[in-house]
């Protein structure tokens, strides 16, 4: 989260992005806004829905940051990325 936190200009969407990211990485069976909110300890999915619908952030820049992180931590000359089916 430290790598992408600067992509969110305000604390509220930054906190929602953290909750969203942790929810996506969790073992929650379903990854909808309600489930992700519950995973984050929120009573309602509003903060996550606002992040996805109204918050201003550069999704391409966040994607690039996450990709760079993955390459740094998982990359190897013989590495192969296998999609999950």
């Amino acid at each position: 989260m430290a790598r992408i936190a600067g992509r969110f200009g305000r604390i509220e969407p930054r906190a929602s992005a953290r909750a969203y990211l942790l929810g996506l990485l969790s073992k929650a069976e379903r990854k909808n806004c309600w489930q992700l909110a519950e995973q984050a300890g929120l009573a309602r999915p509003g903060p996550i829905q606002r992040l996805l619908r109204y918050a201003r952030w550069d999704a391409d820049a966040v994607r690039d940051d996450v990709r760079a992180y993955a390459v740094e931590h998982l990359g190897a000359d013989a590495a192969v990325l296998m999609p999950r089916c």
Side-chain angles (χ1 to χ4, degrees), residues 6-57:
R7 302 293 183 185
F8 303 91
R10 296 175 43 97
I11 189 75
E12 296 88 354
R14 191 176 307 140
S16 296
R18 183 180 187 282
Y20 180 66
L21 179 60
L22 291 175
L24 290 176
L25 295 173
S26 75
K27 294 186 181 204
E29 187 174 325
R30 299 184 66 197
K31 308 288 181 168
N32 59 46
C33 285
W34 274 102
Q35 295 289 332
L36 298 179
E38 287 178 0
Q39 186 72 28
L42 302 172
R44 297 183 176 269
I48 293 174
Q49 290 172 334
R50 280 189 296 282
L51 170 72
L52 298 175
R53 188 168 195 161
Y54 300 112
R56 297 178 124 187
W57 54 288

